Amino acid sequence: MQGSTINESQNILGYEQEATSSGHEHQEHPDLRMLGVVVFLVAESMIFLGLFSAYLIYRAMAPVWPPEGTERELLLPVVNTVILISSSFVINQGTIAIKKNDPVALRNWFIATAIMGLTFLAGQAYEYSQLAFGLTTNLYASCFYVLTGFHGLHVTFGVVLILGVLWRGRKASHYSKESHFGPEAAELYWHFVDVVWIILFILLYLL
């Protein structure tokens, strides 16, 4: 009887130690969500790197670049560039606000960023409508549409992410200074889109 009681006590103690150990491990389990976002952006960077490399190779092999008769307008792309770069500072204010437990300011800054992103896309669509060359006019034209179109797709996805943050943050308690992965991930992605555009703008419009 005494041996049975000892065994039961050991079993209970062993269970409690296991439960405590499991809970301790769970508490110390790192949050790898942001690392996942970074890995995703690195993968996307490789795609853009391949496209940029191909463009530079085509440019180096061509006797004249861009081909004669290919007109490049700078005014609208410059305006679009200013809008997109400025939006990075705007979205950063949103994440700063939520780290100060100000969900209202987060919402306002993210709304402004979404509007700026949509304005950029509208400007790009208008530029397409005014261009004197089409997708198959020459090699430069093909590269231009592929690069700007692929980037525009990423901007669209970025706007969707921002709208997702706004939707999930419609409850004031959803994001706080302790829990703000969504806004931070959207901001990091948006900065990535901006950096890619700066490189793209230099390659397509200035060189």
Side-chain angles (χ1 to χ4, degrees):
M1 183 71 176
Q2 184 178 0
S4 176
T5 304
I6 293 174
N7 289 335
E8 290 179 0
S9 299
Q10 289 176 342
N11 290 336
I12 292 173
L13 180 59
Y15 174 79
E16 289 177 348
Q17 289 176 342
E18 183 180 353
T20 303
S21 175
S22 176
H24 184 66
E25 291 177 358
H26 177 72
Q27 290 176 356
E28 291 186 350
H29 188 71
D31 186 351
L32 300 178
R33 291 178 297 173
M34 191 57 71
L35 176 61
V37 175
V38 172
V39 171
F40 168 73
L41 294 181
V42 170
E44 292 297 297
S45 299
M46 294 300 101
I47 298 175
F48 276 106
L49 180 60
L51 292 174
F52 291 153
S53 298
Y55 176 83
L56 290 174
I57 291 172
Y58 295 150
R59 186 178 188 277
M61 294 176 60
V64 179
W65 195 267
E68 294 182 3
T70 306
E71 299 181 1
R72 295 186 293 186
E73 296 292 336
L74 277 179
L75 179 58
L76 183 56
V78 168
V79 172
N80 258 359
T81 301
V82 172
I83 292 173
L84 200 59
I85 293 176
S86 300
S87 68
S88 267
F89 295 96
V90 174
I91 196 171
N92 178 251
Q93 292 302 310
T95 54
I96 290 175
I98 197 58
K99 290 177 182 178
K100 296 179 180 179
N101 263 341
D102 190 350
V104 175
L106 167 70
R107 183 172 63 251
N108 292 338
W109 287 114
F110 270 58
I111 288 174
T113 306
I115 292 173
M116 296 174 81
L118 291 172
T119 302
F120 174 88
L121 291 173
Q124 191 172 58
Y126 179 78
E127 181 186 11
Y128 284 172
S129 70
Q130 299 299 309
L131 289 174
F133 53 84
L135 178 62
T136 59
T137 300
N138 51 50
L139 187 55
Y140 171 83
S142 299
C143 291
F144 177 91
Y145 279 104
V146 169
L147 286 170
T148 57
F150 192 53
H151 176 266
L153 181 64
H154 281 72
V155 175
T156 303
F157 182 66
V159 172
V160 171
L161 282 180
I162 293 171
L163 294 177
V165 170
L166 290 170
W167 174 255
R168 300 191 69 184
R170 66 191 186 280
K171 293 182 180 180
S173 60
H174 186 79
Y175 295 117
S176 66
K177 65 179 182 180
E178 292 84 15
S179 177
H180 47 262
F181 166 74
E184 277 193 324
E187 179 190 359
L188 182 60
Y189 181 86
W190 199 251
H191 291 328
F192 165 77
V193 168
D194 283 1
V195 171
V196 170
W197 174 256
I198 292 173
I199 299 172
L200 192 153
F201 176 78
I202 293 172
L203 291 178
L204 290 180
Y205 294 98
L206 299 182
L207 295 183

